[in-house]
Amino acid sequence: MIFGAMTIFSKQILAELEVFNMVALRFLIAFAVCFAVFHRRYSAAGRETAFHSGVLGTFLFISYLCMVLGCKYTTASNAGFMMSLVAFFTPLIVWVQEKKAPSARQTASIVITLVGVGLMCLSGRFTLNKGDVICIFSAFFYSFQMLYTERYARTDDPVVLGTFQLIFVAVYGAVFSFVLEDGFRLPVSPAGWGQLLYLALGCGALGFILQTAAEKYSSAAHSTIIYASQPVFVALFSYIMLGEPITLRQIAGIIIVFAGVLITTVQPRQNRTEDNI
């Protein structure tokens, strides 16, 4: 839900800030707030946690950059569908790396969820453009970010791991901003500051703390199916904030998406007991 408004605010703030400039500011503010709140926990973190955070930050930067660039060349609805493909890429990568095929239940959940997202986002005249392709790469790299978050969160402090990666993204953004863009600037309007602070504190600080903490207890393949429901919240926030109508087709898609999510999240008691063990 928190990430649902990210697409809207990311497109709006690009009217005031260039891409790398916005990325650097967003993640720098997020890290600064997190460090102020959790600085004592950082002192207990070792080099391994710092290295793990760097890996996550690198995948996150590439993914987020592709998402923002892709949104410049395609519609928000198309971008939402392409980003939901993380639910497809993650179990596929696990299958290739670990020779562990997704279960029939998980496969059904993925297919049903993607059908629902497609019904919400795609029109009958859909054609693949370069923005869509860039967003597909974003989903691909975010799949790695989620997979490695799952692995590292089982040994590292999830709060430190989830927030220390943000400074790496901020540094990447600042370097690229100074090299490729026309100067480094701040938002000039109250609306711009509001959008930036939501991206920093909501999607940046709180969002990644919650994601990392959750993946300590849940597999990435499981989490990405839930993550694929993000376009549902994009549609809901577009309706609330921008006044965009929700069609009957989108309502049907929302119902199908939640059905797909429920298939993988609501499990028989025996399976839940085995997972806890």
Side-chain angles (χ1 to χ4, degrees):
M1 184 179 67
I2 291 171
F3 286 132
M6 180 174 64
T7 303
I8 298 170
F9 285 127
S10 294
K11 288 181 73 72
Q12 289 177 334
I13 200 171
L14 289 178
E16 297 189 26
L17 301 176
E18 294 187 85
V19 173
F20 294 112
N21 188 169
M22 182 269 288
V23 170
L25 281 175
R26 170 193 166 179
F27 286 95
L28 180 61
I29 293 172
F31 176 75
V33 171
C34 291
F35 185 81
V37 175
F38 301 113
H39 60 277
R40 292 182 179 178
R41 298 178 75 152
Y42 283 90
S43 62
R47 293 183 179 180
E48 188 175 65
T49 299
F51 173 75
H52 292 167
S53 299
V55 172
L56 297 182
T58 300
F59 283 128
L60 179 59
F61 174 76
I62 297 172
S63 173
Y64 189 74
L65 176 62
C66 289
M67 187 273 287
V68 175
L69 291 176
C71 284
K72 294 182 68 174
Y73 302 107
T74 191
T75 62
S77 59
N78 278 14
F81 176 75
M82 298 307 164
M83 285 301 298
S84 72
L85 292 177
V86 69
F88 166 78
F89 286 128
T90 303
L92 181 64
I93 294 169
V94 171
W95 192 0
V96 172
Q97 288 186 341
E98 303 178 8
K99 310 302 181 188
K100 183 180 179 181
S103 66
R105 186 189 189 94
Q106 187 179 50
T107 301
S109 180
I110 293 168
V111 172
I112 292 172
T113 301
L114 291 180
V115 167
V117 174
L119 195 62
M120 284 183 57
C121 299
L122 304 181
S123 66
R125 296 172 294 179
F126 172 75
T127 56
L128 201 66
N129 59 44
K130 70 176 181 179
D132 299 326
V133 173
I134 295 173
C135 286
I136 290 173
F137 277 105
S138 176
F140 179 73
F141 284 108
Y142 198 76
S143 296
F144 281 100
Q145 196 272 350
M146 295 199 74
L147 281 170
Y148 282 95
T149 295
E150 176 200 345
R151 295 174 186 177
Y152 297 153
R154 299 187 187 280
T155 57
D156 297 331
D157 182 335
V159 171
V160 176
L161 185 66
T163 58
F164 198 50
Q165 63 180 309
L166 305 179
I167 191 61
F168 288 92
V169 183
V171 170
Y172 288 140
V175 170
F176 279 88
S177 178
F178 283 115
V179 172
L180 300 178
E181 295 176 347
D182 186 21
F184 198 80
R185 63 194 68 179
L186 299 173
V188 295
S189 70
W193 274 108
Q195 293 152 10
L196 178 63
L197 290 175
Y198 179 85
L199 292 172
L201 303 181
C203 300
L206 182 58
F208 286 106
I209 289 175
L210 292 176
Q211 177 194 324
T212 308
E215 287 203 55
K216 184 173 183 176
Y217 306 101
S218 176
S219 70
H222 181 101
S223 300
T224 51
I225 296 174
I226 302 173
Y227 178 86
S229 66
Q230 181 177 335
V232 170
F233 296 102
V234 173
L236 294 176
F237 281 122
S238 296
Y239 172 76
I240 295 170
M241 298 167 57
L242 305 178
E244 296 183 0
I246 298 180
T247 65
L248 289 176
R249 174 174 170 159
Q250 287 179 308
I251 292 173
I254 290 171
I255 294 172
I256 294 173
V257 167
F258 281 124
V261 171
L262 286 173
I263 287 175
T264 191
T265 55
V266 180
Q267 300 182 10
R269 180 174 298 178
Q270 181 180 358
N271 289 348
R272 292 202 302 268
T273 302
E274 290 173 355
D275 288 344
N276 291 335
I277 292 174

